[in-house]
Structures are given as C-alpha cells and as structure tokens.
Amino acid sequence: MKKCINFFAIAVMLSSLVFTAHAQGDKSKRPSPPMTASGKAGSAVVTIDYGAPSVKGREIYGDLVPYGKVWRTGANEATTFSVSKDVTINGQPLAAGKYALFTIPEKGEWTVIFNKNPEQWGAYDYKEDQDALRIKVKPEKTSALQEQLKFGVGDGGKVKLAWEHQSIEFTVSAK
C-alpha cells in the first residue's frame, strides 16, 4: 500500500511539473504578451519582436522606466530588431542581422541602441562593448494614451515606438 501511495504522489508531482512547464512556455498568457512588428524599408525587411507591457495606471517614464538607465524597451526578453539587408538607421550604417534593441530614455533625448547580443533576458546582461550602433532621437509627447507598448514599421522605413504619452521614431533605409 505504501508503494502505491508513493507512486501516486510522484505521479501527481510529475504531472504538476509538466503542466507548469507547459504554462510557462505559452508566452501569449504573459501579462506583457509577445508582439511582432514588421515592414519593409526599401528592399530590406525589418522585424521587431518585443514583450508589450501595459500602463495599468502607472507612471511610466521617470518611474517604472527610469531616466538615464538602459531599458530593454519592452518586457521579458530583450526586444529584438532584425534587418534582412545592410541598412542605415537615421543615416548611420547597420549590417544585416538580429540585434537586441535597448533605449536610454531621457526627458529631452533618447539613445537607441542596437546591441550584437540579441539573446538576453531584459537588460541584465547588457554590455556596452557589444553595441553595433547608437543613435539619438527626440521623444514626442502624445495627447492620446497608448495603453499597451506598440512598435510599428511604416512606409519609407519609419519605425515608431509609442507607449503612455510618448513616442519616438527613427528611419531605416536599405543601402
């Protein structure tokens, strides 16, 4: 009888572990679900994969996302930025490939970072010496609230990030 109870306890524990692993593997169930923005910049394909957090009544910039610190520019894993061909970003060259996309928000100017290590969790292992490119952009105040963080790749290679009451843009051009 004791062996039967032990076997039953082990079976319940294993099924619980399998269920938990499966639930954690379903990223769409996260509070900040995975999203993708994709578009063309001339002949180059631009793809941005990110976790999309929501405002939920919180103060975002200067609080949840501190000024002057590297931010993963989304939630969960580092946001990735992929280009299928060599491009320029606001006139600066960037080779074809996949990058982690980080930002350093400031009140008057943001730094946008394309880092050579796209496989990171957040910005915890960020290393500046792995940066492929840094550009500066001006944040814009928006009157409408953007509840969930959103990237878009529009006509002419315009990449836009909007969240809360701010947005930033930069331009991707195929070489």
Side-chain angles (χ1 to χ4, degrees), residues 1-169:
M1 183 68 157
K2 216 176 196 184
K3 285 182 184 180
C4 192
I5 291 173
N6 284 341
F7 176 76
F8 180 73
I10 290 170
V12 167
M13 197 167 52
L14 284 175
S15 6
S16 165
L17 287 172
V18 168
F19 177 77
T20 302
H22 181 349
Q24 288 176 345
D26 186 358
K27 294 178 182 181
S28 69
K29 304 272 190 245
R30 290 177 173 176
S32 300
M35 304 288 263
T36 298
S38 189
K40 293 199 94 178
S43 59
V45 176
V46 177
T47 305
I48 303 165
D49 291 304
Y50 62 102
S54 295
V55 173
K56 297 178 183 176
R58 301 175 291 185
E59 182 179 334
I60 302 302
Y61 300 107
D63 188 23
L64 182 67
V65 176
Y67 288 123
K69 298 207 183 276
V70 174
W71 174 43
R72 73 182 94 191
T73 318
N76 307 314
E77 297 86 356
T79 293
T80 60
F81 179 92
S82 303
V83 285
S84 63
K85 296 186 173 189
D86 292 354
V87 296
T88 60
I89 310 282
N90 285 4
Q92 301 296 315
L94 184 69
K98 185 176 182 181
Y99 301 89
L101 179 70
F102 297 111
T103 52
I104 302 173
E106 293 286 358
K107 287 184 181 182
E109 185 175 64
W110 285 31
T111 302
V112 180
I113 303 165
F114 301 86
N115 186 272
K116 295 175 195 172
N117 180 6
E119 303 301 322
Q120 300 183 51
W121 180 266
Y124 301 107
D125 293 325
Y126 167 77
K127 291 184 177 46
E128 185 174 346
D129 66 355
Q130 291 295 302
D131 291 352
L133 175 65
R134 283 179 168 226
I135 61 168
K136 301 282 188 177
V137 297
K138 299 278 184 206
E140 297 287 326
K141 271 287 213 203
T142 61
S143 56
L145 172 70
Q146 175 64 45
E147 175 63 30
Q148 188 174 48
L149 184 139
K150 182 177 183 181
F151 276 96
V153 181
D155 295 338
K158 287 272 187 208
V159 174
K160 182 176 184 175
L161 159 68
W163 194 29
E164 192 210 37
H165 287 287
Q166 286 198 42
S167 68
I168 61 166
E169 285 188 4

